[in-house]
Amino acid sequence: MRGPTPSFWQQRFEQRNVPWDRGQSSPQLAAWLAAGVLRPGDSVIVPGCGSGHEVADLAGAGCRVIALDYAPAAVELTRQRLAETARSAEVICADVLQWQPAAPCDAVYEQTCLCALHPEQWFAYARQLQRWLRPGGVLCALFMQVLRDSAGQGVIEGPPYHCDINAMRSLFPASHWEWPKPPYTAVPHPRGWTELAVVLTRRDAA
Ligand SMILES: C[S@@+](CC[C@H](N)C(=O)[O-])C[C@H]1O[C@@H](n2cnc3c(N)ncnc32)[C@H](O)[C@@H]1O
């Protein structure tokens, strides 16, 4: 399979080489909580949870959180953060392309897991997100914008892989997902990247 492996990510955590990590939750999480997009009591899956800032804050906001990561160091960091903040969530060491929840959830918080996967895996991942959510459930997505000059020559570079909006429309088609009208909020990242914040709703007949 193309793209990064679990040991690639494990090493990044062990070497503290985690440039995507803000050291705190994305400001978009607070915005979605304040807007009632994510509510206390909601069941929320956080795929590719990394060091778990958002997991702890979602748990602190009263959500029932399941966090997934296949790098054991990420799982450990997330569990530590929960213990330090006296919050609770289920933290599972698993591949997002394989794992299934016991029951469909209300929301998925997708932050830099999609862009961590090689584009050849994107359709399999999108199918997973659709399966995990109940009809009417929401995918709170932060689509990483990291377009590189080499893309003009057809070179695929990453992670992070650029989550071009045209590709996102193809991956999450309107037949299965309700899209809000653009423009979308571009959330700045300390590394100079931006993420497009979009809430997609899973349609009934998906
Ligand atoms: C770029 S980091 C983002 C971490 C976190 N979401 C954040 O924004 O700080 C990507 C994370 O996804 C995890 N990951 C990548 N592919 C995965 C897979 N197939 N299954 C589970 N976790 C995966 C990595 O181990 C890493 O922790």
Side-chain angles (χ1 to χ4, degrees), residues 9 13 20-21 48-50 69-71 74 94-96 111-113 116-117:
W9 294 106
F13 286 105
W20 61 82
D21 194 319
C49 63
D69 207 292
Y70 68 3
D95 188 334
V96 297
Q111 179 181 301
T112 54
C113 186
L117 299 171

Side-chain angles (χ1 to χ4, degrees), residues 8-9 12-13 15-23 112 144 159-160 189-193:
F8 167 90
W9 294 106
R12 303 293 291 262
F13 286 105
Q15 295 165 357
R16 309 263 189 283
N17 180 11
V18 290
W20 61 82
D21 194 319
R22 287 182 167 86
T112 54
M144 179 61 79
H189 192 282
R191 297 290 296 194
W193 308 322

Side-chain angles (χ1 to χ4, degrees), residues 43-47 64-68 99 101 103 105 107-110 132:
S43 53
V44 184
I45 296 175
V46 183
R64 295 172 292 127
V65 186
I66 301 179
L68 299 178
W99 177 86
C105 66
V108 172
Y109 184 84
E110 156 47 56
W132 295 351

